[in-house]
Amino acid sequence: TVFSVAGVFVAAAIFQPAQRRIQDAVDKAFFRRKYDYARTLRAFAEKAQSVFTRDALARTFEAEVQKVLPVESVGILPDGVPPTGADGGWTHPLRSASGASHGVLALGRRKSGERLSPEDAELLQAMAGELTVNLERIKLQEDVIYERASREKSEELNRLKTEFISTVSHEIRTPLGSIRGLAELLQTGKIRSREQQEKTFALMASESGRLSRFLHNVLDYGRIELQARSYELRRTCLQDVVREAVGVFEPLLKSQGFRLSLALPERAVELNIDADAITEAVINLVDNAVKYSADRKVVDIGLVERE
C-alpha cells in the first residue's frame, strides 16, 4: 500500500509538467488561447503606469493587444461615434467607477478571420478595465496640471497688473511733479523777469503735452494688447531734447540749492529718435540724481557723440 501511494505521488510529479504542456496544446488547437492571461494583463498594467498621455496609452494598449490577439484595428472612439468595420469586431464602453465615460473601445476582426472566443473577450474586458483606470488617472493628472497652469497664469496676470499700474503711476507722477514744481515757483514770485516766466510757462505746456501723449498711449487698448510701445521716430537734434528735459528741472534745482552743469557738443547731433521717449529717459535720470544726491548737490549732465 505504501509503495502504491508513493508511486501515485511520483507519477503525479512526473506527469504534471506533461499535463500542462498537453493542456496548452489543446488550448491552442481548439480554443485558440495563445497567451498567458495573467502575464498579459500584468504586462499591460505595468506599461500603462509609465504613460502620461491618452494617445500614448492607446498606442500601448494596441501594442499589447496585437501581441496576443492580432486584429485588424484597435481604437478608442468618442461617445456616439459608431464603430466601423465588418462583422466579427468587438466593442466595450470605457466607464470609470464614478460613471465618467472615456469613450468606447473598438476592435476589428482577428487577422486570421476567426471570431473572438469567450476567453478572448474575457481578457479584453480585463484589459479594458485597466485601460479605463489609467484613462481616469491621466484625466486627473491633466486636470491638476491645468488647474496649476491656470493658477500660475492668474498670478502672472496679477503681477503684470501691479507692474503696469506701478509703471503708469511713475510715468504720470514725473510730468505732474514737474508741472507742480514749476507752478509753485511761479506762485512764490521768485521768477520775476517776463522772459523767465514765459520760459516757465512754455515748459509747463511742454510737460502737459507729454503727459497728454502718454495718457493717449495708455488708453490705446490695441497697443496694450500687443504688449508693445509705439515710437514715432523723427530726425531730431539731441541737444534740443536734452535742453528741454533739463529745463523742466532747472528752476526747481536752483531753488533747492543744486548746481547744474550741462555739457553739450557745439555741432548738432541729429538722430532718428522719439523725442518724448528720450525726454522721459533724461527726466527720470535727472529726477533720480536729485533724489539720491544726499549732501552733494551737484548734477552734471553731458551729451557725448561716439561712433
Side-chain angles (χ1 to χ4, degrees):
T1 302
V2 173
F3 281 108
S4 298
V5 172
V8 169
F9 279 107
V10 170
I14 293 174
F15 289 108
Q16 180 67 23
Q19 179 191 3
R20 198 174 290 121
R21 285 195 294 271
I22 293 170
Q23 183 64 50
D24 288 342
V26 171
D27 288 340
K28 290 179 181 180
F30 297 99
F31 297 102
R32 304 191 309 278
R33 290 192 60 176
K34 301 179 181 179
Y35 48 80
D36 185 321
Y37 182 101
R39 183 183 301 171
T40 301
L41 186 59
R42 185 169 59 251
F44 171 65
E46 291 174 354
K47 292 180 180 179
Q49 287 296 322
S50 61
V51 174
F52 298 98
T53 66
R54 183 183 175 95
D55 291 342
L57 181 62
R59 289 194 298 270
T60 301
F61 180 84
E62 180 179 5
E64 293 303 308
V65 169
Q66 295 289 10
K67 286 180 183 178
V68 295
L69 294 172
V71 292
E72 294 177 349
S73 62
V74 180
I76 301 175
L77 304 178
D79 289 328
V81 177
T84 59
D87 295 337
W90 186 84
T91 60
H92 186 77
L94 300 174
R95 291 191 176 277
S96 62
S98 62
S101 176
H102 296 280
V104 177
L105 176 63
L107 278 75
R109 293 186 305 173
R110 292 183 62 131
K111 292 181 179 179
S112 63
E114 300 170 336
R115 288 183 174 275
L116 294 172
S117 68
E119 291 81 5
D120 295 338
E122 183 181 351
L123 172 64
L124 289 173
Q125 286 179 357
M127 293 181 71
E130 189 67 33
L131 175 64
T132 304
V133 169
N134 282 278
L135 285 171
E136 184 73 10
R137 170 183 61 82
I138 290 173
K139 183 179 182 302
L140 291 174
Q141 290 173 342
E142 290 175 346
D143 290 343
V144 170
I145 293 172
Y146 176 77
E147 182 180 353
R148 183 183 305 164
S150 299
R151 185 172 64 253
E152 291 176 354
K153 184 177 181 180
S154 177
E155 292 173 354
E156 177 67 9
L157 287 174
N158 288 333
R159 185 190 67 79
L160 290 174
K161 286 180 189 176
T162 303
E163 183 178 330
F164 174 74
I165 292 172
S166 175
T167 301
V168 170
S169 300
H170 175 74
E171 300 303 339
I172 291 177
R173 189 165 53 247
T174 300
L176 281 178
S178 301
I179 295 170
R180 184 180 61 188
L182 294 170
E184 289 175 352
L185 282 175
L186 291 171
Q187 285 179 336
T188 57
K190 293 181 179 180
I191 303 177
R192 297 182 178 180
S193 69
R194 185 66 178 174
E195 181 182 353
Q196 285 295 334
Q197 288 179 354
E198 290 179 355
K199 184 178 178 181
T200 303
F201 283 127
L203 289 173
M204 292 175 66
S206 175
E207 284 298 278
S208 298
R210 189 165 69 87
L211 177 60
S212 176
R213 289 190 294 273
F214 175 75
L215 291 175
H216 174 74
N217 288 336
V218 170
L219 296 175
D220 189 337
Y221 185 77
R223 293 177 185 176
I224 296 174
E225 283 292 288
L226 293 174
Q227 296 182 353
R229 177 172 176 173
S230 176
Y231 293 97
E232 294 185 7
L233 303 180
R234 294 180 181 177
R235 195 74 176 174
T236 309
C237 178
L238 276 177
Q239 282 96 325
D240 294 341
V241 174
V242 174
R243 285 194 192 95
E244 182 180 349
V246 174
V248 173
F249 280 90
E250 189 173 5
L252 182 63
L253 292 178
K254 289 182 178 179
S255 68
Q256 294 180 1
F258 277 89
R259 182 179 66 81
L260 184 63
S261 171
L262 184 61
L264 302 176
E266 294 182 1
R267 188 174 68 87
V269 179
E270 294 186 348
L271 291 174
N272 288 323
I273 61 170
D274 184 311
D276 284 343
I278 299 299
T279 301
E280 181 182 325
V282 175
I283 287 177
N284 286 336
L285 289 172
V286 176
D287 186 40
N288 287 336
V290 172
K291 287 179 181 176
Y292 305 110
S293 287
D295 297 331
R296 186 170 181 269
K297 295 190 174 184
V298 178
V299 179
D300 296 325
I301 302 170
L303 176 62
V304 180
E305 183 181 11
R306 294 180 180 170
E307 295 180 1

